[in-house]
Amino acid sequence: MLRYTTEVLAPSDTGDDPAPTASPTSAPNVSAATIGPLRSFTLLQFDGRSWRADEPRPSIDAPFDGLLATDPDLLGRSPSTARGTLAAVHLEVGALRDRELPIATFPRTLQIDGRWSWDAARDSITGTRPTDAGMTYDMVVEIPTLTSDDLEDARVGDPGDARALEIPPTSHAADIAALAAELTAEAETPYEQAMALQSYLRSAANFTYDTRVDPARTDDAVWDFLESRKGYCVQFATAMTVMSRSLGIPARVGVGFLPGQVDGDEYVVTGRQAHAWPELYFEGQGWVRFEPTPAVQTGAPPRWSDPFANVPNAGPTQEVVPTGRPGAVPTGRPNSPTTPGEIAEQGTDWVPAALTSALVLALGALVATVLVRRRGRLLADLTPEQAWARLRRVLARHGVRWSSATTPRAAAALVPERVADLGGSLDAPALEALTGLARAVEQARYAPAAANPEPGRLAAWIDDVHRSARRTLGRRTIGRARRARPGPAATGSRPDDRAARRASSSR
C-alpha cells in the first residue's frame, strides 16, 4: 500500500518560529509508532448499523502553505519545536488506489503534486484522481507533547457539528447508554470516562479480537457486538464512539492505517494495517485518538491513554510498531477489509460464524471434576486474564468486588481498602502478589508482546491474596456477601447476560 521514511527535525538557529532542519542528534528519535496511524478520513454519521461518509468539502487547495490543522491558531503556521517534536515523513504509494490520501492525525504540512484539497471539517485530503503506484508526497508532522495530565482536567469541547453527539434511535440505545454509565460510574472527569471505556473494551477478559463477526440479531450493531463480545477494529471503535456520545462526549471514527512495519530504513504499510479508531473531542485539545481495539492487533495505545505511561520499568510503553495482523485469530473471511474504504463499507457487514460454547461447557465440567494434582497443573497454565478472573471470583465470596471498567492497577489499590472496610487487612506478601498479578494483567492487555510469568506464579499470587483475605475476614463475610450481592452498578456486569445467552442458545 505505502512505504515511508521518518526523520527527526530540529529548529534552525534563528527566528522566533524557526524553520526546521534535519538533525540526527539534537532531538528525540521519531518512528512510525511516534507519528501514529495514517488517517484517510473521519466518520460522524452512524445510523445504528452502518457509517456514512460525508462528501468532501474543500477548504484549501494545493499547493498548501504551512500547517494543515483543525486548530485555527495553528492553521497556516510553520511547524515549530516549541509546540512539539517535528518529524519529516517521505511517503511513496504502492498498491493503494484511493482519492483519500493517508496523512498523520497530528498537524502537518503537505507537499504533493496534482490536484488535491484539504477538507477542514473531516481533516482529510481528497484528490480529483486516485493515488497511483510510484506517487510520492512529503509531510512535516508536528507531534504534540500530549500526556494524560493534559487531559485529566480537560472539559468536553464543542467540535461545531451536532452529529458528534448523535445516538441512533435503536431499540437498544438505552441499554448501551446504561452500560456506559455503569462502566464509568467511578469516573470523575470526561477523560476518566474515556479511559474506563477503553479499558473495558481492550480487556481480553471481556472481548475477543476476531474478524469473524456474528450475523445481525437486532437493529443495533453496537448492541450485537457488546452481546457477542467479539469483533475487529470497526466494532471496537464504533462501540466506544457511541458509548462516549451517550456520556455527552463528542466522538467520531477515524479510518486509515496502523503504523507500518520496519523494513530496513523504511516502514511498509500493507492491507493488514487497515484500521479504525475513535476520536473524542476535548476543550483545548481538539480531537484526541483512543485505542479500544485489543493489543493483539494494535500494540500499545497512545501515550496519553496508556496506563503504563510515565511508570518506571512498565514495559508496554516502549515503542513497538503494532503488527496489525488479522491472522492473530482465524479470520474465516477471505475478503477481510484491506483498505480504509473497505473498512467503511464492510464495518457492519456481519458474517455468520460457528460458536464454541460446547467447548467452554466441556472445559468447565473438566475443571470441576479433575483431581487435585490435575488442578495444580491447570493452575500453573493460567493466563493473566484467567488468573485475574479467578481472583475476582475468590474475593467476591468475601464481599470484595470491583467494576469490570476498573483498571487492574486501580483495582490493586481498591482491594486493600475494601478489605479494610470489612474489618480485615492484607499482609505484605498478599499486597505484593496483588500488585504483581495486576501488573501481569496490564501487560497482557496493553503490551504488544507481554511477558510470561514463570509457571505456577499466577496461581501462587492468587493463593497469597486469598489466604490473607480468608485469614483476616474469615468465612463470616461469605454468607454476608451471598445475602447482599450488589447490582450491576457495583459489579460492572449485567445480571441478565447468562440468562440471555442461555435463551439465545436454546433457540
Side-chain angles (χ1 to χ4, degrees):
M1 292 292 181
L2 290 168
R3 286 180 175 271
Y4 63 98
T5 59
T6 64
E7 183 178 17
V8 68
L9 299 179
S12 64
D13 296 330
T14 60
D16 294 331
D17 195 11
T21 58
S23 173
T25 58
S26 62
N29 289 328
V30 295
S31 66
T34 312
I35 295 167
L38 299 175
R39 187 180 61 206
S40 294
F41 54 88
T42 57
L43 300 168
L44 277 169
Q45 194 170 345
F46 182 62
D47 64 9
R49 291 227 59 87
S50 61
W51 289 95
R52 177 175 297 177
D54 294 339
E55 286 297 320
R57 296 182 178 181
S59 304
I60 301 176
D61 295 328
F64 304 109
D65 184 20
L67 288 170
L68 297 175
T70 54
D71 184 346
D73 293 333
L74 295 180
L75 180 61
R77 295 188 62 178
S78 297
S80 173
T81 54
R83 295 187 297 265
T85 301
L86 302 186
V89 186
H90 176 74
L91 304 97
E92 180 178 348
V93 176
L96 183 65
R97 302 291 182 271
D98 204 332
R99 291 177 58 235
E100 308 276 357
L101 190 71
I103 58 175
T105 60
F106 301 125
R108 83 301 286 177
T109 65
L110 177 63
Q111 293 181 345
I112 187 171
D113 294 330
R115 300 175 60 185
W116 297 86
S117 300
W118 178 62
D119 182 341
R122 298 197 311 159
D123 193 19
S124 62
I125 300 291
T126 306
T128 56
R129 300 179 62 182
T131 55
D132 198 3
M135 168 186 163
T136 63
Y137 58 103
D138 293 272
M139 299 184 294
V140 173
V141 183
E142 188 175 281
I143 305 169
T145 56
L146 184 64
T147 67
S148 58
D149 291 339
D150 298 319
L151 295 168
E152 184 62 49
D153 297 322
R155 295 184 297 181
V156 167
D158 179 7
D161 193 323
R163 293 178 300 171
L165 284 171
E166 282 185 356
I167 299 174
T170 67
S171 59
H172 289 288
D175 296 319
I176 295 171
L179 176 60
E182 172 187 328
L183 295 173
T184 60
E186 298 178 4
E188 298 180 354
T189 68
Y191 171 70
E192 290 181 359
Q193 290 177 318
M195 287 296 292
L197 295 179
Q198 177 183 273
S199 179
Y200 174 71
L201 292 168
R202 281 183 71 93
S203 172
N206 299 326
F207 294 91
T208 300
Y209 181 87
D210 195 336
T211 55
R212 298 171 300 182
V213 181
D214 293 342
R217 296 179 58 86
T218 73
D219 62 341
D220 195 310
V222 172
W223 183 252
D224 289 345
F225 165 66
L226 294 173
E227 288 289 287
S228 71
R229 305 288 181 121
K230 69 176 184 178
Y232 58 104
C233 60
V234 175
Q235 285 74 44
F236 286 95
T238 301
M240 184 164 177
T241 297
V242 172
M243 287 197 286
S244 296
R245 290 180 178 183
S246 74
L247 298 171
I249 305 174
R252 69 184 184 186
V253 167
V255 182
F257 297 96
L258 288 166
Q261 295 293 296
V262 177
D263 182 14
D265 295 332
E266 58 186 3
Y267 298 94
V268 177
V269 176
T270 69
R272 290 188 172 186
Q273 274 85 43
H275 190 51
W277 60 87
E279 298 178 357
L280 279 55
Y281 198 87
F282 292 89
E283 187 177 85
Q285 302 296 340
W287 291 107
V288 178
R289 176 173 63 95
F290 286 81
E291 190 49 84
T293 303
V296 66
Q297 171 69 4
T298 61
R303 186 170 185 82
W304 52 85
S305 67
D306 187 344
F308 280 92
N310 301 320
V311 176
N313 302 320
T317 51
Q318 64 185 119
E319 290 186 350
V320 177
V321 179
T323 60
R325 54 182 188 277
V329 292
T331 64
R333 180 178 187 170
N335 60 335
S336 295
T338 57
T339 69
E342 290 179 3
I343 281 183
E345 292 171 4
Q346 300 184 23
T348 48
D349 180 15
W350 311 119
V351 180
L355 299 179
T356 57
S357 57
L359 178 61
V360 175
L361 293 176
L363 180 60
L366 174 65
V367 172
T369 57
V370 290
L371 299 173
V372 172
R373 54 194 172 96
R374 173 62 176 159
R375 173 184 176 274
R377 194 166 70 205
L378 287 172
L379 289 180
D381 294 335
L382 284 174
T383 66
E385 290 288 0
Q386 291 170 337
W388 191 247
R390 185 178 183 85
L391 180 65
R392 289 188 67 179
R393 290 194 299 269
V394 166
L395 292 180
R397 298 173 192 163
H398 297 280
V400 179
R401 298 182 175 86
W402 60 89
S403 165
S404 296
T406 305
T407 65
R409 185 177 307 169
L414 183 67
V415 166
E417 296 178 3
R418 294 277 171 87
V419 172
D421 290 341
L422 294 171
S425 63
L426 297 181
D427 57 25
L431 293 174
E432 183 178 351
L434 181 60
T435 301
L437 179 54
R439 182 176 291 113
V441 176
E442 283 192 323
Q443 288 177 336
R445 292 182 183 180
Y446 291 96
N452 295 318
E454 62 184 73
R457 172 64 66 184
L458 297 173
W461 281 339
I462 296 172
D463 290 341
D464 285 346
V465 178
H466 185 205
R467 172 192 49 74
S468 183
R470 183 174 54 191
R471 178 179 57 80
T472 60
L473 295 177
R475 298 188 57 85
R476 67 182 184 279
T477 58
I478 297 181
R480 187 192 313 162
R482 289 174 177 170
R483 290 192 299 272
R485 294 184 183 272
T491 64
S493 60
R494 290 161 291 172
D496 60 336
D497 272 0
R498 293 180 181 176
R501 288 193 179 89
R502 285 196 297 268
S504 64
S505 63
S506 65
R507 292 174 185 166

